[in-house]
Structure formats: structure tokens, C-alpha cells
Amino acid sequence: MHLYIYYRCTKKRGSCSCEYVREEVLDSNLSNVLSKFVLPKEWANELQKMTERDEKEITYSTSVSVQDMRAKIVDLDCKIARITDLFVEQDIERADYLERKRALMSEKKSLQERILLLERNGGVWLEPMRKWINEASMLEEIAKSDSLPSKKSSLQKIFGSNLHLDARIARGTPKSPWDSLLAGKEIHGDFDLSSKLLTLYHIARTHFSKQD
């Protein structure tokens, strides 16, 4: 006894005239789709190196900026202390004292918030970038496997809800940065590898920098 499994669209957008497709045919089709988005090992290695270089630069620049802002906070604390002494000694009026203190405290608070933001978000894109590079590198293994759930999970990351069956073929519009990866792989001719990778890297970095 043989068990045959067929798929078709879910009809979420109304009636559909698409024919059913057998599971093994769909599986092969999905593998072919995934294979287009495999990140070559050479590309992955170079992207990782770029990420490591940027991480070092971010760590250094963040440290320098934070030190500079903390020095400014120390200076503001000294100014607050001085005007407080002047007020206690009745060398300045209360209204003048409160106005100057409010301005100094506001500047101090602004610096403290900038430090927190810089320390938290300076390299917020680094881990998502590394995760994406790893996932894209693993696609070849997933495409060759018999695991439909793994293929489905990978396709959802690439296409979101944009993948659909059209004439019994899986089609869709990939999301960023997958679309840039695909475009880079399809470019031939005089467009050298380093230019491809720089373009892909900056697009991916920009994408992950905007993520919550």
C-alpha cells in the first residue's frame, strides 16, 4: 500500500483553480528554491571578517565616546556643586540658582541617556547579522535534506508570507537581505566579488540595524 500526499493553495484569497501537487514534487521544488539562497562558504567567511572588523571598531569608538561623555558628566557635577555652594553662601539669587541648576541637570540627564543608548544599541545588528550568515550558509544542507518542516521554516524566513503556489510551482518575493543575496549571486560579468560582498554587507547591516 502506497501513501500519496498532495498539496494545493489554502484559498485564503478566494477561489483557486490551481491543481494539486504531489508531496515529492513540491519537496523537490522547495529544495530548488532554497538552493538559490545558499550563501557560498567563501562569501560567508568574508562577511564574517567584515562583521568582526566592524565589531572591533564599534567597541573602540563606543568606549571613547562613553569616556568622553562621562568626563563631561563629572564636570557638570562640579558645576552643580559650585553653584550650590554659591547659593548656600547667598552669593546668587534663588531664581538664578534654580534656573542654572535645571539647565545643568538637563544636560547631565541627556548625556546619561546617550550613554545608555550607545552601550545598548551600538552593535545591536551584530548578532542578527551573524545569525543570518549562519542560516544562509546552512541552506544547502537543509535543501538536500528530507525535512519538510526545516524547509518550511527556512522559506518563511526568506519569503515571510509571500511564498505561494503558482501553476504548481512555489514562487514569491524574498525579503531583505535575502533579495540582495539572490541578486548578488545572479550578477555576472565585470561586477567583482568584493563589490558584491560590500553591497550585500551594507544592505544586511542596514536591515538588521533597523530591527527592534
Side-chain angles (χ1 to χ4, degrees), residues 82-92:
R82 283 199 296 271
I83 65 168
T84 300
D85 289 340
L86 291 174
F87 175 66
V88 171
E89 294 171 3
Q90 299 183 343
D91 289 333
I92 57 174

Side-chain angles (χ1 to χ4, degrees), residues 111-175:
L111 286 169
Q112 289 173 328
E113 291 174 347
R114 285 167 59 190
I115 288 173
L116 288 174
L117 187 64
L118 192 59
E119 291 180 331
R120 186 180 66 222
N121 295 338
V124 68
W125 57 273
L126 286 165
E127 285 309 309
M129 171 73 89
R130 289 195 175 102
K131 183 179 179 182
W132 175 73
I133 293 172
N134 182 61
E135 289 175 343
S137 300
M138 294 292 293
L139 285 184
E140 183 173 10
E141 181 179 332
I142 294 173
K144 292 179 179 179
S145 74
D146 295 325
S147 175
L148 276 174
S150 296
K151 293 176 184 179
K152 178 183 177 182
S153 176
S154 296
L155 289 165
Q156 285 179 328
K157 292 174 182 176
I158 296 171
F159 294 97
S161 59
N162 295 325
L163 192 66
H164 61 280
L165 284 175
D166 180 12
R168 298 194 295 179
I169 300 294
R171 309 176 193 275
T173 303
K175 303 188 299 180

